[in-house]
Amino acid sequence: MLCAGSTVYEPLKESGAGPKTHVGVIGLGGLGHFGVLFAKAMGCQRVVAFSRSSDKQGDALKLGADEYVATAEQNDWAEKHASTLDLILSTVCDVRMPFQEYLGLLRPKGRFYQLGIPEAPLPSLDTMTLVLNGTSIAFSDSASPGNINEMLKLAADKGIKAWTQVRPMKEANEVVADMEKGKARFRYVLKNEETQDEFFHVQQAELYLQGRFTEWHPKITTPPGFLLPFHLRSIINKTLIRYDGFKASSASFPFLWSLAELNHAVLNICLFPPLFFFYGLYYTDVWSALSVLITFQFHQRKWRKSMVAAGIASLLFRQTNIFWVAIYLGGLEVVRKLRRGRPGVEYPTKSTVLDVVSRSWQHVCVYDPLISQASFEDYIKCTLSFVAAAIPGFFILFTYLKTYLVILGAFTAFVAWNEGVVLGDKENHVASIHLAQMLYIWPYIMFFSFPLLYPYIINAIIPQKRLPTPLRTGSTAHQVPRFIVGIPVMAIMTLIIRYNTIIHPFTLADNRHYTFYVFRLLLRHPSIKYLVVPIYSLCAWAAITALGGLPNVQTPTKTKDSASQRTQIRRGLQHRLPPPSYDMVIDRGHHVSAALIWLLATSLSVITAPLVEPRYFIVPWLIWRLHVPNPRPTGEEGAKRMRKKIRGFREWCKAVLWWKHDHRLWLETAWFLFVNWAVGYMFLCKGFEWEQEKGKVQRFMW
């Protein structure tokens, strides 16, 4: 109606159509049937419908036409109706059209309107007829906003509705052929019945379109966060919701850029396959990830009030965001404050657990070495150090954590009011302890981020002296964990698999999702799920080690203070080091505390879900990826290379892809593009049918 209806209504309004007006409508189709409907609704005295054959006569009379003329079947129609009409609306344009005869139907000063944009030249005409009768020819292809509002009000008052026929999208070719044959009555609507989205979100969107904001679909488990932006702007419609994810992905870019400050890394994050796939479906994950990023940025800029507002809004997209906007960011705040406790306090080079705990308790400071310098025992010491320092500094920390406690309190109030975490479908989404989720996330990270992690795997297998400098991890701490550490860790993983593996009914009931095939493989033989324990361990080690970063392309030059500086780095006092130069390592990576807080937030966000879905790991991967450092060339030789004038295409490629840029980013880009292509190809081209739903195409998805 906004298109065809307005095109017809505009000339009727402009010509003053009313009770004394005689109107002719040429062509009874998508435009023509609106012409008859609106002419009668405006009270025109007589409406005559013209068509080549009498096939549509019954429909024309039902629409309200007073007369029907079949021009190919009535030889005297032009003489019979000559000079009887005040206005003619023509919806057809054909060189075979009896244009001169139609002009003869108009009374003196009558108007002939050609609607739409003609696809062919107008037929020739006798201009003398126009001159003698004062006939005018005009065109109409749309209406003004004011007239559109009047049209909609008239349609609402008179109950005017378009005559439509709904056809499935798979019959699109047949619909075009039927249109050419004139079989449409009077507009075809193509409906895509192959919806791969969560269909109940579509139904919920339809309720919102109708203004029924208090009604909630019982199958939806998350709050209506992804619909709120459109409700607030009062422009909600299905098309906007359909491309909701694309707008969220566009909005994510500046926030990622601000957080990462690395444009290539930002591009890769936006291409992250599980996130990229959901840009175009009715899922909340894209907006959920964006809301966490916004809250994270406000946290970094110390905009407390904005952070609280963004954190609470984030919970409207996914309830598990509480662990990121409150627990994770609150943990970062604790680290930030405790590090400032006593910067002059030093820990012995080989501190025992007792040394760390006693000094942390006494001086309210923390033992927090760099990941690149840390051993497994340092993670235990760091954890105990924070506990020991937080107890005497509890009241000081409380003043800094009030903003995060506000978010946590809002979530607690919601859970109490809702009598649970999820809104709907509570019987299928019962919170439980599913520790195996923390095993699945490591191969997940390895699969998508192996271009970033492969140097650590190579260093664990090949001696560093035989590797190119950019691939050297440069620290013995990066080697595979010691036997005394690896065996207990794998033993714990084995116990988790044995006693805490939960196979949700949905996991093995929907073969559209790739997790279905992964679990089919794991369950093919009882021993397979135990044989992959070393893979879990290796992937976990590589993912955590990556947070420590690779060294720069050039090994730092030794100076007089290098030994003391390394000692300070080891003791977590790196903030007292002088600004880096070309002779020093620029990207030292993150501290052990960053890995521990990320592990805590990730564990809390995923182990409560019995169902395993790749999209549940999107935010944990996103935060992990933002913290993976990228090395830069340093050292005297590195500085010379950076200043070196590039000559020739080969040197340019070597500079851009290798020693002037982290080559892993290019590998990551290529890998993400390939995965997105493969997933898109499977989704679009490899549909299949379920036996219980014949004729409905199912598609592969994450």
Side-chain angles (χ1 to χ4, degrees), residues 483-503:
F483 182 83
I484 195 173
V485 175
I487 294 301
V489 169
M490 288 192 288
I492 293 174
M493 290 182 174
T494 303
L495 292 175
I496 291 175
I497 293 173
R498 174 64 179 84
Y499 295 105
N500 198 236
T501 297
I502 299 176
I503 306 298

Side-chain angles (χ1 to χ4, degrees), residues 8-25:
V8 169
Y9 182 82
E10 181 75 9
L12 289 171
K13 174 69 183 301
E14 185 178 312
S15 60
K20 296 182 179 181
T21 307
H22 295 253
V23 179
V25 179

Side-chain angles (χ1 to χ4, degrees), residues 2-3 108 122 132 195 251 258 300 329 375 382 385 395 474 568 594 601 655 678:
L2 289 174
C3 180
L122 290 173
L132 295 177
T195 302
S258 176
Q300 287 194 324
L329 297 183
S375 63
C382 181
S385 175
F395 293 103
Q568 286 182 309

Side-chain angles (χ1 to χ4, degrees), residues 192-207:
N192 186 2
E193 297 182 345
E194 299 177 9
T195 302
Q196 301 300 317
D197 311 318
E198 292 180 339
F199 65 92
F200 32 81
H201 281 304
V202 181
Q203 297 173 358
Q204 184 64 43
E206 292 175 345
L207 292 176

Side-chain angles (χ1 to χ4, degrees), residues 535-604:
I535 297 177
Y536 293 150
S537 303
L538 183 63
C539 294
W541 164 78
I544 297 299
T545 304
L547 296 177
L550 285 171
N552 299 287
V553 174
Q554 294 300 317
T555 304
T557 304
K558 293 184 178 180
T559 62
K560 291 183 179 180
D561 297 328
S562 60
S564 61
Q565 289 170 354
R566 286 197 300 271
T567 301
Q568 286 182 309
I569 293 174
R570 176 82 171 183
R571 295 170 182 172
L573 303 175
Q574 84 297 338
H575 57 276
R576 297 178 61 83
L577 294 176
S581 67
Y582 277 116
D583 293 331
M584 296 178 59
V585 174
I586 293 179
D587 292 322
R588 294 189 301 270
H590 295 279
H591 292 259
V592 169
S593 59
L596 292 175
I597 297 171
W598 178 82
L599 283 171
L600 175 63
T602 300
S603 300
L604 293 174

Side-chain angles (χ1 to χ4, degrees), residues 499-530:
Y499 295 105
N500 198 236
T501 297
I502 299 176
I503 306 298
H504 196 282
F506 290 176
T507 302
L508 299 179
D510 193 344
N511 63 344
R512 297 176 303 171
H513 300 283
Y514 294 114
T515 50
F516 169 87
Y517 301 96
V518 173
F519 276 90
R520 283 280 297 271
L521 178 62
L522 291 175
L523 299 176
R524 180 170 294 181
H525 189 276
S527 64
I528 294 179
K529 59 184 178 181
Y530 299 107

Side-chain angles (χ1 to χ4, degrees), residues 627-689:
H627 285 81
V628 174
N630 292 313
R632 300 178 180 87
T634 59
E636 293 181 0
E637 186 178 347
K640 291 180 181 178
R641 287 188 175 187
M642 292 294 287
R643 295 191 296 265
K644 180 181 178 181
K645 186 176 181 180
I646 300 174
R647 298 177 181 177
F649 179 74
R650 183 177 179 181
E651 285 194 12
W652 180 87
C653 292
K654 189 175 181 180
V656 172
L657 300 178
W658 192 258
W659 52 263
K660 271 197 173 182
H661 196 70
D662 186 356
H663 70 281
R664 298 180 303 163
L665 295 177
W666 295 112
L667 295 178
E668 186 181 36
T669 302
W671 175 240
F672 282 177
L673 290 175
F674 171 76
V675 173
N676 286 329
W677 170 82
V679 172
Y681 174 78
M682 293 295 293
F683 180 81
L684 296 173
C685 304
K686 294 296 181 180
F688 61 95
E689 292 184 0

